[in-house]
Each structure stands twice: as structure tokens, then as C-alpha cells.
Amino acid sequence: SDKIRVDLQRLQQVLGLTDEGVALIEAAIITELQTHKNPIFKYISNSLNRQIWNYIGVGIMGMVLGGISVAMLRPQSISKSCPVLEEYITGDRISIGEEILLIQDTNRDKQAGVAAFANGDCQTAIKKFKDYRQVNSTDPEALIYLNNAIAILKGEYLKIAVSVPIGTHPNIAKEMLRGVAQAQDEVNNIGGIDKKLLKVAIANDDNNPTEALNLANSFVEDTNILAVVGHNSSNASNSAASVYEQGGLVMMSPTSYAQDISSIGNYIFRTAPSIESITESVALYAINKMNKNNFLICVDQNVDNGAVKNNFTQIVKKTGGTINPIGCNFSSSKLSPRFDPNFNPSTIISQAQNSGADSLLLAHYVDKSRDTTRQGLAVVKANQGQLSLFGTPAIFTGESLQEGKHINGIIISVPWHSQAFPDNPFEQKARKLWGGTVNWRTATSYDATKAIIAGLQKSNTREGLKEALRDSDFSVDGATGTIQFDRSGDRVNTPMFLVQVQKKPGTNTYEFVPIKD
């Protein structure tokens, strides 16, 4: 659980344990929790090896002695430099700097920064977060916490939140957080919004609809939060959107592109591309430029990809193409429509070819918990380059490139690429800030935050922000060009760019390369 992870972090700090030592403890606990129905007593009684129990025994003594010494020395050793001391709840999936959510990215400085932050010592927290960023500049959580500590130290700030899938998709979470962090850093470095700095609460929803719903309720109840950037998946966004609407809190999703989100209400916005723009750009290129006319659609049936399939089908039929009749649903849930318990990728590819297919659209939902990554990969492995491959923006991940030889040549559409906007300062600033290039999720998350900042410059109330964003004259320049919203809250004229997976010359690695018309 999150609480046990926090306890392990504290144990590590007290004892100075290595990451390997903590990993031993964590692995044993996880193994026992998975093995026993009533694990609490069983793993205590007979399961953990002697070395781990030695760690924990010494750790308990160290934590007790450390707690006593800290309590005795507190007036002298801890400086309460923050002008306003806040009470923090650890293990609640939300943090503004009092706990580490990206637990895979940490060291002693980051841990010390979080501890100082939680104790109300903003000056030490600022120093430690800066020290940490000297050795790990790619961590967006640390930059957000750094800016939060500076904002609290100043005492004047506006607060927003961002919700990302840290537990299930840490890389996607970091991509989104980098966009939010960059926008926060930029506005705070120029004095903030009407002299008030921007403070950002980070939340982990795991792309889980229930967790997203719970977090949405928490955000609505915190009247200091003026807007939320998120969520990542459309399942999570759909679940939370009605809560935001009823609570009068702006939600701005940078990555959810299911159609029905924008119909929920007046407080729901997004900088993500529309389903229509995603499917149209791919379908028309396949038909008009590559002369493809018979498409097998393999789908992980969910709210995003169901809409992708429907829209793609409509466009193909309008242009005289054909949707291959062979069913290909690799959803892992037996409750999913048209789920085939005898799913066999090789048979599907063979049957599709025999019925005239020349192309394969892979509408893939990236979610480890549903095991569709493995099934989607099985489809493209079975294809062996026989059908031309096309896909959705969800495929644009580092994990996808690790399977480059199987998806080599796949064409997808994205709303941003580092080479698509050569004169836009966003990419140069991002490269300098993060030490490398970023991807489309960072760009649309940056745009979502930029739009909220621009709205807050007109009004720093929840209702006023909503009205500012819905104003027909609202406009702000972002990473993907000019940001404006239509009456539904969707982005107007979202740019789309086709990219293709190609092998880097002279290497065994792959990359997404823009297609030049």
C-alpha cells in the first residue's frame, strides 16, 4: 500500500539503507501478501528471511530513538521558515511536496527536501530540491515541489491540481507532469499571475475510474484548488468529469480524446486532439497516399478505442474503402463487447488476408492492469509485416519503441512532434529544462496548464475561470500553436502530424519520425 511504501522510505532514511536493501524488504512483503489470504500474521511468523528481519528490527529501534531525539531537539533543529504551516495527510494519493509519489525517482536530497517541506522548513526544502535537480533534471515532481516551496515561502499563490497515472504508467505520468511543471516554472519565473505564484498539487489516479472519482471529490472539496489538469485515460476522465461539473471546478484534459467527455458540461475542457482529427489524418493518408482500401481493425474495446473504430470506419466507407469483416478484439475482459475467448492472432491475420485485407489499424489502449499490451503485441508479431500498420496516439511511448522490430513502419497521428514546430520556443525550453526532447503528452499538458494560467489572469475564481475559458475571444499561444475552445470545451483546430516508427541508421534502436508529405 502507499502507507507501507512511505514507512519503507522513512526506514531507509533512518538507517541509510541502500535501494537494494529496501527492495529486498518490499519484495518479501509483496510476495507474502500475494501468497496468503491473511498475510499480516503469517509473514510476521515465518516468512521473511533473517537478514530482512534484522533490517526491520534495527529500523524500528532506529525510528524510535530517532523520534525521541528529534522530539527533544525540535525547537533547535527544525526551522519553521514557511509563513503558513499546513497540515498534510500522507498516503492519500495527493502531494504538494510533503511526500514522494514518483518513488522510482529519488535520492537523499529529494527525501530531505520532502521531509523539510512536511516540517514547514521551506528554505531547506528549496535547497534540497535544487540540489536534487543537479543530479536528476528529468524529474518533474521535484521541479513542481521546488516551485511550490518557493510559492509557500512567498505566501501569495494560486493553487491548481494535476492527476496522472503514477502507479500504473509512471512514464506517461512523468510526460504529463513535465508539461505542467514547465508551464508552472515559466509563469512563476516572471512573477506569477497578478503577483501570485502558481502552486500545483500532484495526484496519482492510476488511470482507475474509481480513484479518479475519489480524487475529483477531494479536489472539489478543497476550495483553494481552482482547476485540474487531467486525467490521462478517458475512462478516468469520464468517471471524474460529472463531479467537476457538479462542483463547479474546471477540468482540462490533455490526453483524453473520447467523444462523450466534452458533452458532460460547461466546466470540462481539453487540449487533447479530437477523435475525428486522429482518425481522419490516418485514414486519408492510408487511402490517398498509400492506396490502401481494406482495413482490418484490431481493437482493445474501451471508451477511446470504440470511438476510434467507429470514426475510422465512417471515414473509410465515405472514401470508398472497406472494413475487413474479420473480428479482432484483444480486450482482456470477458465483459467486453465481442470478446473472443479463443483469440488467436495468427489465425486472425491469415483470415483477414484471405478476405482481402491490406492494412491493419491497431487501436491499442495502454494499460498494464488489463494485459492488453501483450495481446496487442501478439497481433503485430503475427502480422510479420504482411499488412501495413496504422495506430493511435496511445502507441507513442518508449515501451512501444522497445518492440520496434515488430511495429517498424507503423503510422500514427499525434498533435505535436519536436520537429513539427521549429520556431516555437516550447521545444527549446523543454530540451534545456529536461535535458532532452519531450513528446506530445508533455506538449498538450503544457498547453492545458498555459490555458488555465491565461484564464486565471482574467479571473482567479472557479466560476470566473470557466467563463474566461468559454469566452469566444479567449486565445493563448501554446506548444501546439494557438489554443482556443469551442462551445463544447474541445480544442479548436487541433494540428495533427503523422509519424512513423523507423530504425535509426546504423543502430538497433527505433524512433518516431515525422512523415513529410
Side-chain angles (χ1 to χ4, degrees), residues 291-341:
N291 297 318
K292 303 298 178 180
N293 59 19
N294 192 310
F295 297 86
L296 170 66
I297 301 180
C298 286
V299 62
D300 168 19
Q301 194 72 29
N302 69 87
V303 65
D304 277 335
N305 294 326
V308 168
K309 180 178 180 179
N310 292 338
N311 274 269
F312 191 86
T313 298
Q314 291 174 11
I315 295 170
V316 168
K317 289 183 175 180
K318 283 181 182 178
T319 53
T322 301
I323 299 299
N324 196 273
I326 302 300
C328 182
N329 179 7
F330 55 85
S331 299
S332 60
S333 171
K334 293 184 179 181
L335 299 178
S336 178
R338 296 174 295 282
F339 175 80
D340 181 3

Side-chain angles (χ1 to χ4, degrees), residues 108 123 239:
R108 290 179 183 272
Q123 291 178 339
S239 176

Side-chain angles (χ1 to χ4, degrees), residues 88 110 219 296 417 508:
Y88 304 113
K110 188 177 181 183
F219 294 151
L296 170 66
H417 189 277
N508 289 321

Side-chain angles (χ1 to χ4, degrees), residues 362-407:
L362 188 67
H364 187 214
Y365 184 68
V366 183
D367 192 335
K368 296 176 185 177
S369 66
R370 299 178 68 207
D371 199 29
T372 55
T373 298
R374 178 181 60 81
Q375 292 174 311
L377 183 59
V379 172
V380 294
K381 283 182 176 180
N383 182 52
Q384 296 182 340
Q386 298 171 86
L387 304 177
S388 296
L389 288 176
F390 302 92
T392 69
I395 294 173
F396 199 112
T397 66
E399 289 82 1
S400 295
L401 291 178
Q402 292 173 8
E403 303 294 342
K405 66 179 180 180
H406 300 298
I407 64 169

Side-chain angles (χ1 to χ4, degrees), residues 19-60:
D19 290 341
E20 290 78 9
V22 173
L24 273 174
I25 299 172
E26 181 175 343
I29 293 174
I30 291 173
T31 298
E32 291 305 317
L33 290 173
Q34 292 173 341
T35 302
H36 302 296
K37 291 183 179 179
N38 187 15
I40 301 301
F41 299 102
K42 291 188 177 181
Y43 83 70
I44 286 177
S45 63
N46 61 11
S47 64
L48 296 185
N49 65 47
R50 187 170 299 170
Q51 180 184 11
I52 295 173
W53 276 114
N54 286 339
Y55 277 146
I56 293 179
V58 175
I60 292 171

